[in-house]
Amino acid sequence: MARIRIKKNDLVQVISGRTQAKGGDRGKTGRVIAVYPETNRVLVEGINRVTKHTKAGDNQGVNTGGIQVVEAPIHVSNVAVVDPETKKPTRIRARVDSVERDGRTKQQRTRVSVRSGKDL
């Protein structure tokens, strides 16, 4: 299982799939709502929206059924974090800094944008 570098509340852009002209989501951006590391998927706000049919009585006491439009998870390889400086998709790396507290040296990991070198 690969380590997922995308975290909740990151601004991501869809980098693969059908273009927006053909009804897809490529090029759209959105915030990450949830991360599912066991399946390598992320849930992005406004991306990969699907229609869900619900039966009446299945909604915690509400007896109305119908069609709902909800976001579905998308694979983590199909999205990239948006660089805060250039507003373009970028890869992420980790910078390890040595921090000294109470006379002890501790290593601290910081997420860094590959494109601009700025902290995320």
Side-chain angles (χ1 to χ4, degrees), residues 4 6 12-18 24-37 39-50 70-80:
I4 297 178
I6 297 175
V12 295
Q13 181 176 354
V14 179
I15 58 173
S16 67
R18 295 175 63 174
D25 289 332
R26 189 191 322 164
K28 289 185 181 178
T29 60
R31 291 257 173 224
V32 175
I33 300 170
V35 179
Y36 305 112
T39 58
N40 291 332
R41 292 184 177 270
V42 292
L43 192 65
V44 183
E45 184 178 30
I47 305 295
N48 199 19
R49 295 177 62 87
V50 296
V70 295
E71 289 94 0
I74 186 171
H75 199 270
V76 72
S77 67
N78 296 332
V79 296

Side-chain angles (χ1 to χ4, degrees), residues 52-116:
K52 181 178 180 183
H53 298 265
T54 58
K55 281 173 67 173
D58 284 349
N59 299 341
Q60 292 93 18
V62 179
N63 290 330
T64 59
I67 299 174
Q68 297 176 340
V69 180
V70 295
E71 289 94 0
I74 186 171
H75 199 270
V76 72
S77 67
N78 296 332
V79 296
V81 175
V82 174
D83 189 349
E85 186 172 304
T86 62
K87 306 293 187 236
K88 293 183 179 178
T90 183
R91 296 186 308 276
I92 299 173
R93 64 178 172 86
R95 184 181 67 226
V96 179
D97 298 326
S98 295
V99 179
E100 189 170 331
R101 289 186 189 158
D102 301 328
R104 296 187 329 195
T105 303
K106 185 177 179 182
Q107 291 185 341
Q108 180 178 358
R109 294 173 58 90
T110 306
R111 295 192 319 150
V112 179
S113 166
V114 172
R115 185 180 287 270
S116 68

